[in-house]
């Protein structure tokens, strides 16, 4: 186990993963699960909870070995490994899934979801289920969905209106929708890997990043970007994905255990996330981090050209309208 920590190359990670997931399964089953977040992140805690429930529900006959902190690389590296049968499971971020199924763009549409309750109504609706299942023919599929609160900008100066972003280099997970959004707001999108964001801000390579409050705290980005400006432009969705090649080797009983544990992890994530949000704001207050309230209407107006462009595409318009239909009255 000790030699696994610190692996970053896809080739090396794939070789290690293949030794876990490539052989036919015996009665006692070991599955690998990769994620790219640190141990304090809500998703790290949630996936550990999933692994514990799998062990409990299977009476110890199934072990989920969690490889966290990007040991197996970013999702864009691990998804091909799942497709090849070299990794069993992965935490898949919605932006990364967009490369495999364009419909996941819906989570990158600025100001589409009112709040986390609206997001969760969509995730667990017929529309959300259809979206989740849209990758089922890609060599993997999603066992669970986890919604989190909105992403905002953090830098070392207040961002109260779009003009304050003028020319600022902002780390994003690059998708066409996200890049266009940041450009319309006045910033310059910088596609830097999540794990390199801290040092990139620290060294002045970029001016800041954007993410939700729990990720900002868990990654300790508040140490290098000390002002969090709550424009709350888009939401965050993660999925628990499993390789089709892995699933097809499982017995019906083993599949039932994983499904049951996945549902339990969704409920757990909602409970623990509420606590972590409160804890994050408390820590930031103690650290003297400035939380800036912004002119959200100005930000909404700045991205209206993007909304207009998306609505001209019938397929994209369909998903936007399905999300809007689940907004609170």
């Amino acid at each position: 186990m000790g030699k696994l920590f610190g692996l970053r190359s896809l080739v090396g990670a794939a070789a290690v993963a293949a030794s876990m997931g490539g052989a036919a399964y015996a009665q006692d089953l070991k599955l690998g699960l990769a994620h790219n977040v640190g141990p304090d992140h809500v998703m790290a805690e949630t996936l550990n909870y999933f692994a514990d429930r799998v062990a409990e529900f299977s009476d110890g006959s199934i072990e989920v070995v969690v490889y966290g902190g990007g040991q197996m690389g970013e999702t864009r590296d691990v998804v091909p490994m799942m497709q090849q049968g070299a990794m069993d499971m992965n935490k898949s971020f919605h932006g990364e899934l967009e490369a495999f199924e364009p419909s996941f763009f819906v989570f990158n549409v600025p100001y589409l979801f009112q709040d986390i309750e609206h997001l969760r109504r969509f995730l667990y609706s017929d529309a959300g289920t259809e979206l989740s299942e849209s990758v089922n023919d890609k060599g993997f599929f999603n066992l669970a969905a986890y919604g989190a609160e909105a992403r905002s900008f953090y830098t070392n100066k207040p961002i109260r209106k779009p003009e304050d972003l003028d020319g600022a280099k902002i780390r994003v997970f690059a998708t066409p929708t996200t890049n266009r959004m940041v450009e319309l707001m006045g910033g310059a999108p910088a596609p830097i890997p999540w794990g390199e964001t801290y040092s990139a801000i620290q060294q002045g390579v970029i001016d800041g990043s954007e993410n939700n409050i729990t990720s900002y705290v868990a990654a300790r980005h508040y140490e290098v970007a000390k002002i969090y400006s709550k424009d709350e432009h888009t939401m965050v969705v993660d999925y628990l994905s499993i390789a089709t090649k892995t699933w097809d080797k499982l017995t019906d009983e083993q599949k039932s255990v994983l499904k049951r544990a996945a549902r339990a992890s969704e409920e757990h994530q909602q409970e623990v996330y509420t606590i972590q949000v409160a804890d994050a704001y408390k820590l930031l207050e103690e650290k003297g981090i400035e939380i800036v309230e912004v002119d959200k209407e100005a930000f909404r107006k700045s991205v209206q050209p993007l909304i207009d462009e998306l609505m001209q595409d019938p397929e994209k318009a369909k998903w936007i309208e399905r999300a809007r239909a689940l907004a609170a009255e």
Side-chain angles (χ1 to χ4, degrees), residues 163-179:
E163 290 79 3
D164 295 329
L165 271 174
D166 187 27
K169 297 187 289 294
I170 301 296
R171 183 270 172 187
V172 297
F173 182 86
T175 72
T177 307
T178 303
N179 289 348

Side-chain angles (χ1 to χ4, degrees), residues 292-307:
V292 175
E293 299 295 334
V294 312
D295 181 358
K296 284 190 182 180
E297 188 56 33
F299 281 96
R300 289 190 182 96
K301 287 181 179 178
S302 74
V303 297
Q304 189 57 48
L306 170 59
I307 307 302

Side-chain angles (χ1 to χ4, degrees), residues 259-316:
K259 287 179 180 178
R260 183 182 171 194
R263 297 291 82 75
S265 72
E266 288 178 333
E267 295 175 3
H268 181 75
Q269 185 264 353
Q270 294 181 31
E271 294 171 0
V272 75
Y273 189 74
T274 300
I275 296 169
Q276 286 207 5
V277 168
D279 288 346
Y281 279 109
K282 182 179 178 181
L283 182 145
L284 295 176
E285 182 179 1
E286 293 171 352
K287 297 289 185 180
I289 301 302
E290 183 179 357
I291 307 294
V292 175
E293 299 295 334
V294 312
D295 181 358
K296 284 190 182 180
E297 188 56 33
F299 281 96
R300 289 190 182 96
K301 287 181 179 178
S302 74
V303 297
Q304 189 57 48
L306 170 59
I307 307 302
D308 295 340
E309 292 164 11
L310 293 172
M311 292 301 291
Q312 292 174 11
D313 183 320
E315 184 64 18
K316 287 182 168 62

Side-chain angles (χ1 to χ4, degrees), residues 1-9 12-13 67-73:
M1 274 291 288
K3 294 182 180 179
L4 292 177
F5 288 85
L7 280 174
R8 289 297 183 273
S9 74
Y67 299 92
Q71 292 175 66
M72 297 296 172

Side-chain angles (χ1 to χ4, degrees), residues 100 202 310:
F100 299 89
Q202 186 179 46
L310 293 172

Side-chain angles (χ1 to χ4, degrees), residues 26 37 43 64 78 149 191 215 219 225 266 314:
V37 296
M43 283 310 303
V64 175
V78 180
E149 296 205 15
S215 295
E266 288 178 333

Side-chain angles (χ1 to χ4, degrees), residues 15-318:
V16 173
S19 68
M20 299 181 305
Y25 296 132
Q27 184 173 2
D28 286 336
L29 176 66
K30 181 179 289 188
L31 301 173
L33 194 171
H35 68 72
N36 65 343
V37 296
D40 295 331
H41 195 283
V42 62
M43 283 310 303
E45 201 280 341
T46 297
L47 296 174
N48 287 337
Y49 180 88
F50 167 77
D52 290 343
R53 297 291 73 74
V54 169
E56 176 188 351
F57 298 157
S58 68
D59 294 326
S61 67
I62 304 176
E63 178 186 4
V64 175
V65 181
V66 180
Y67 299 92
Q71 292 175 66
M72 297 296 172
E74 298 292 331
T75 297
R76 63 176 176 268
D77 301 323
V78 180
V79 170
M81 292 165 62
M82 286 197 299
Q83 292 173 314
Q84 297 159 13
M87 175 53 69
D88 299 303
M89 289 182 285
N90 182 52
K91 179 197 79 68
S92 299
F93 169 58
H94 75 261
E96 291 160 316
L97 291 181
E98 189 175 342
F100 299 89
E101 171 48 57
S103 300
F104 284 92
F105 89 97
V106 72
F107 298 121
N108 292 322
V109 178
Y111 302 106
L112 177 58
F113 295 97
Q114 296 173 325
D115 49 33
I116 195 168
E117 286 77 19
H118 181 193
L119 175 66
R120 287 172 177 162
R121 280 196 299 275
F122 177 83
L123 279 181
Y124 305 122
S125 69
D126 289 343
T129 299
E130 182 181 329
L131 177 60
S132 179
E133 293 176 349
S134 64
V135 293
N136 285 8
D137 62 347
K138 309 295 184 183
F140 65 96
F141 62 94
N142 297 316
L143 278 175
Y146 312 100
E149 296 205 15
R151 302 169 76 96
S152 293
F153 295 109
Y154 48 90
T155 60
N156 282 302
K157 71 171 187 176
I159 307 294
R160 293 189 171 89
K161 55 188 183 300
E163 290 79 3
D164 295 329
L165 271 174
D166 187 27
K169 297 187 289 294
I170 301 296
R171 183 270 172 187
V172 297
F173 182 86
T175 72
T177 307
T178 303
N179 289 348
R180 179 77 168 126
M181 176 192 72
V182 173
E183 289 167 353
L184 286 169
M185 289 178 172
I192 291 175
W194 176 246
E196 299 174 17
T197 303
Y198 185 107
S199 61
I201 298 173
Q202 186 179 46
Q203 296 167 13
V205 176
I206 56 176
D207 298 299
S209 185
E210 52 87 42
N211 217 312
N212 59 17
I213 200 77
T214 53
S215 295
Y216 175 59
V217 168
R220 305 180 71 89
H221 287 173
Y222 61 84
E223 295 177 346
V224 291
K226 299 181 181 298
I227 299 177
Y228 190 87
S229 301
K230 290 182 64 178
D231 71 297
E232 299 183 314
H233 43 265
T234 55
M235 309 298 282
V236 177
V237 178
D238 287 305
Y239 290 90
L240 172 59
S241 304
I242 187 168
T244 303
K245 289 184 178 180
T246 295
W247 188 257
D248 289 345
K249 295 176 182 177
L250 303 181
T251 66
D252 289 344
E253 182 178 4
Q254 289 168 335
K255 291 176 181 177
S256 178
V257 165
L258 294 184
K259 287 179 180 178
R260 183 182 171 194
R263 297 291 82 75
S265 72
E266 288 178 333
E267 295 175 3
H268 181 75
Q269 185 264 353
Q270 294 181 31
E271 294 171 0
V272 75
Y273 189 74
T274 300
I275 296 169
Q276 286 207 5
V277 168
D279 288 346
Y281 279 109
K282 182 179 178 181
L283 182 145
L284 295 176
E285 182 179 1
E286 293 171 352
K287 297 289 185 180
I289 301 302
E290 183 179 357
I291 307 294
V292 175
E293 299 295 334
V294 312
D295 181 358
K296 284 190 182 180
E297 188 56 33
F299 281 96
R300 289 190 182 96
K301 287 181 179 178
S302 74
V303 297
Q304 189 57 48
L306 170 59
I307 307 302
D308 295 340
E309 292 164 11
L310 293 172
M311 292 301 291
Q312 292 174 11
D313 183 320
E315 184 64 18
K316 287 182 168 62
K318 177 192 77 172

